[in-house]
């Protein structure tokens, strides 16, 4: 069940703590985009404010917030810098696994570590490998006291910002999750992600060369293990929170640009763009897209709160959250992509100026929205509703209760 302390900290309290941090992060967003400067300093600000420990119970150094409160803040962080919630996506999933884990020293250790500021990145996907049962990353026996990890991963989102990396590996045909120190001997990380959006998520290549892994760092079944889990909906919802934040920032950036603009088209019905009813309609639609995306994300977060409050053991609650997250993906993605395209209708060629970088909103939204492509989710939803097919669960990791 949710910690009683989770009811003691309000949204206003959280806004007072994190609002100023988000404002500082937002102030440098365009410069970071232009320079392709990874947000190490900004992640440090979040770490110092305890942002990674939002779901950690107060007795372990965290805030004990609800899932809804977490995702509300993730949307606001995404409005400030859309790369950062995505970079922290697996971190929050790891924390949730610990919260659901068997009580004991291991669970307490990791909750205290996160409560003290530790962050977790990921190394799941491998270049050229589409199926989790064909991982080339191997965990093999080293000495009697440890294991050895070897392999190459891509899309290692957030790992360059992290203290630990959650790695999916094969151990004698078994999928396992391994937690390694981000700066351990034999770990090499590169910022070589070459997508046109979400460039600062630190989603590049990570190589593991004979990395020592202590037995207690082998956490159990890894990515792609079968069965119901909260984590696919949870991980998908982080991406949708990113989209909701992008819509929020796109609307505010566009509105600010129009407010200062004094030149309109020669055939427009008003002299000032902000008085033009057509421009006003665009801002209205951008605002509606941001509102709808936020409301949808929070509605799914409420379902995840219900599922997690029951210990993630209620099949009906898990199915409800999984279905809602899949449906939300179709709604939010379409709305935000349309909004980040339409914003350019409010101005002439000057709105495409590199200094504004308003194109980053569409590029970032397009990049986020292709994670777990919507065409596959639409088919899975239809098959489930028509034929009772299994929902598209895909993730399980960590020290979970059986």
């Amino acid at each position: 069940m949710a910690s009683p302390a989770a009811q003691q900290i309000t949204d206003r309290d959280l806004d007072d703590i994190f609002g100023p941090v988000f404002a500082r992060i937002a102030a440098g967003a365009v410069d970071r985009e232009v320079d392709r400067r990874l947000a190490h300093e900004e992640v440090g600000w979040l770490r110092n404010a305890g942002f990674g420990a939002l779901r950690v119970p107060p007795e372990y150094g965290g805030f004990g917030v609800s899932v809804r409160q977490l995702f509300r803040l993730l949307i606001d962080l995404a409005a400030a810098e859309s790369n950062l919630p995505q970079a922290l996506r697996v971190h929050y999933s790891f924390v949730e696994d610990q919260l659901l884990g068997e009580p004991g020293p291991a669970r307490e250790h990791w909750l205290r570590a996160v409560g003290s500021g530790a962050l977790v990145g990921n190394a799941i996907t491998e270049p050229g490998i589409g199926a989790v049962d064909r991982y080339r990353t191997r965990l093999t026996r080293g000495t009697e006291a440890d294991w050895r990890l070897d392999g190459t991963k891509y899309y290692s989102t957030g790992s360059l910002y992290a203290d630990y990396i959650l790695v999916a590996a094969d151990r004698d045909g078994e999928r396992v999750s391994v937690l390694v120190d981000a700066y351990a001997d034999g770990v090499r990380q590169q910022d070589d992600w070459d997508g046109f959006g979400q460039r600062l998520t630190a989603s590049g290549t990570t190589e593991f060369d004979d990395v020592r892994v202590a037995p207690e760092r082998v956490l159990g079944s890894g990515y792609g293990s079968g069965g119901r889990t909260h984590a696919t909906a949870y991980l998908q919802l982080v991406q949708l929170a990113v989209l909701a934040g992008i819509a929020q920032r796109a609307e505010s950036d566009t509105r600010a640009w129009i407010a200062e603009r004094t030149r309109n088209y020669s055939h427009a019905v008003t002299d000032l763009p902000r008085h033009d009813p057509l421009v006003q309609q665009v801002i209205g639609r951008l605002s509606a897209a941001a509102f709808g995306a936020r409301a949808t994300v929070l509605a799914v977060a409420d379902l995840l709160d219900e599922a997690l409050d029951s210990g993630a053991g209620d099949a009906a609650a898990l199915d409800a959250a999984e279905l809602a997250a899949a449906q939300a993906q179709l709604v939010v993605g379409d709305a935000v992509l349309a909004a980040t395209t339409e914003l350019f209708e409010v101005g002439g060629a000057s709105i495409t100026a590199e200094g504004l970088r308003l194109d980053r909103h569409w590029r970032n939204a397009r990049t986020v929205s292709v994670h777990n492509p919507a065409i596959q989710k639409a088919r899975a939803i239809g098959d489930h509703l028509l034929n009772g097919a299994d929902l598209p669960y895909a993730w399980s990791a960590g020290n979970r209760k059986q």
Side-chain angles (χ1 to χ4, degrees):
M1 297 297 291
S3 165
Q7 307 305 316
Q8 297 172 10
I9 189 162
T10 67
D11 289 346
R12 178 173 292 182
D13 293 331
L14 293 167
D15 288 343
D16 288 344
I17 295 168
F18 295 107
V21 181
F22 296 165
R24 290 177 68 196
I25 291 172
V30 173
D31 288 341
R32 284 190 300 274
E33 176 75 16
V34 171
D35 298 337
R36 190 177 173 138
R37 178 179 62 80
L38 291 179
H40 288 290
E41 183 178 19
E42 291 76 10
V43 169
W45 300 341
L46 293 171
R47 186 197 301 268
N48 292 339
F51 195 75
L54 283 167
R55 286 281 289 159
V56 173
E59 60 265 32
Y60 299 121
F63 290 92
V65 306
S66 68
V67 174
R68 180 188 178 90
Q69 287 178 307
L70 169 64
F71 278 91
R72 180 178 172 275
L73 289 172
L74 288 176
I75 293 170
D76 289 343
L77 174 58
E81 174 55 84
S82 69
N83 293 277
L84 293 183
Q86 185 176 352
L88 295 171
R89 186 167 73 127
V90 170
H91 170 84
Y92 286 111
S93 181
F94 173 81
V95 171
E96 213 64 53
D97 282 331
Q98 305 316 303
L99 293 173
L100 293 169
E102 292 283 0
R107 176 180 182 271
E108 181 173 338
H109 169 80
W110 290 114
L111 289 175
R112 289 195 185 282
V114 174
S116 298
L119 297 176
V120 177
N122 91 94
I124 305 295
T125 305
E126 299 190 7
I129 302 296
V132 296
D133 60 351
R134 295 199 294 273
Y135 284 149
R136 297 192 185 104
T137 299
R138 295 284 186 264
L139 188 68
T140 57
R141 177 63 72 182
T143 67
E144 292 184 1
D146 65 22
W147 296 86
R148 296 289 169 166
L149 183 69
D150 294 273
T152 300
K153 297 287 188 176
Y154 197 44
Y155 305 127
S156 305
T157 303
S159 290
L160 281 165
Y161 299 131
D163 304 286
Y164 303 98
I165 305 173
L166 188 66
V167 187
D170 177 277
R171 181 178 64 181
D172 296 328
E174 174 193 15
R175 293 187 294 272
V176 294
S177 293
V178 179
L179 198 64
V180 303
D181 292 350
Y183 300 100
D185 290 342
V187 177
R188 292 188 296 275
Q189 299 187 67
Q190 302 176 55
D191 179 29
D192 57 354
W193 160 239
D194 64 353
F196 60 59
Q198 294 297 94
R199 293 171 172 170
L200 308 181
T201 54
S203 295
T205 301
T206 305
E207 298 173 282
F208 303 95
D209 182 10
D210 197 33
V211 178
R212 180 185 178 276
V213 178
E216 64 270 18
R217 294 291 189 87
V218 182
L219 303 183
S221 59
Y223 182 87
S225 298
R228 287 183 173 89
T229 172
H230 70 285
T232 39
Y234 198 103
L235 289 163
Q236 185 64 65
L237 198 61
V238 175
Q239 305 289 45
L240 300 185
V242 172
L243 286 169
I246 290 171
Q248 181 176 313
R249 183 63 180 270
E251 187 273 337
S252 63
D253 281 354
T254 308
R255 179 158 43 89
W257 185 79
I258 293 169
E260 299 296 324
R261 186 169 170 80
T262 58
R263 183 166 61 89
N264 208 352
Y265 294 107
S266 60
H267 51 285
V269 297
T270 64
D271 290 333
L272 292 176
R274 67 177 182 271
H275 295 153
D276 190 322
L278 298 178
V279 172
Q280 292 168 357
Q281 286 183 47
V282 172
I283 293 300
R285 286 195 289 268
L286 295 183
S287 175
F291 172 83
R294 173 182 282 267
T296 301
V297 168
L298 295 181
V300 181
D302 285 338
L303 293 174
L304 278 168
D305 261 322
E306 293 178 17
L308 291 166
D309 280 352
S310 66
D314 185 326
L318 290 173
D319 282 350
E322 179 68 16
L323 178 60
Q327 292 168 326
Q329 181 181 353
L330 303 183
V331 173
V332 172
D334 285 351
V336 177
L337 286 170
T340 54
T341 299
E342 189 176 16
L343 69 86
F344 293 99
E345 298 296 333
V346 302
S350 56
I351 200 172
T352 68
E354 284 281 356
L356 296 173
R357 287 292 168 115
L358 292 176
D359 62 302
R360 80 185 191 279
H361 298 313
W362 181 89
R363 289 187 289 100
N364 291 338
R366 180 71 274 182
T367 302
V368 171
S369 64
V370 297
H371 288 70
N372 307 309
I375 58 171
Q376 301 294 342
K377 285 293 179 71
R379 182 210 59 77
I381 293 168
D383 197 12
H384 172 73
L385 294 176
L386 288 170
N387 305 309
D390 290 343
L391 289 162
Y393 291 104
W395 170 275
S396 177
N399 176 32
R400 289 291 309 280
K401 290 184 281 190
Q402 301 298 316

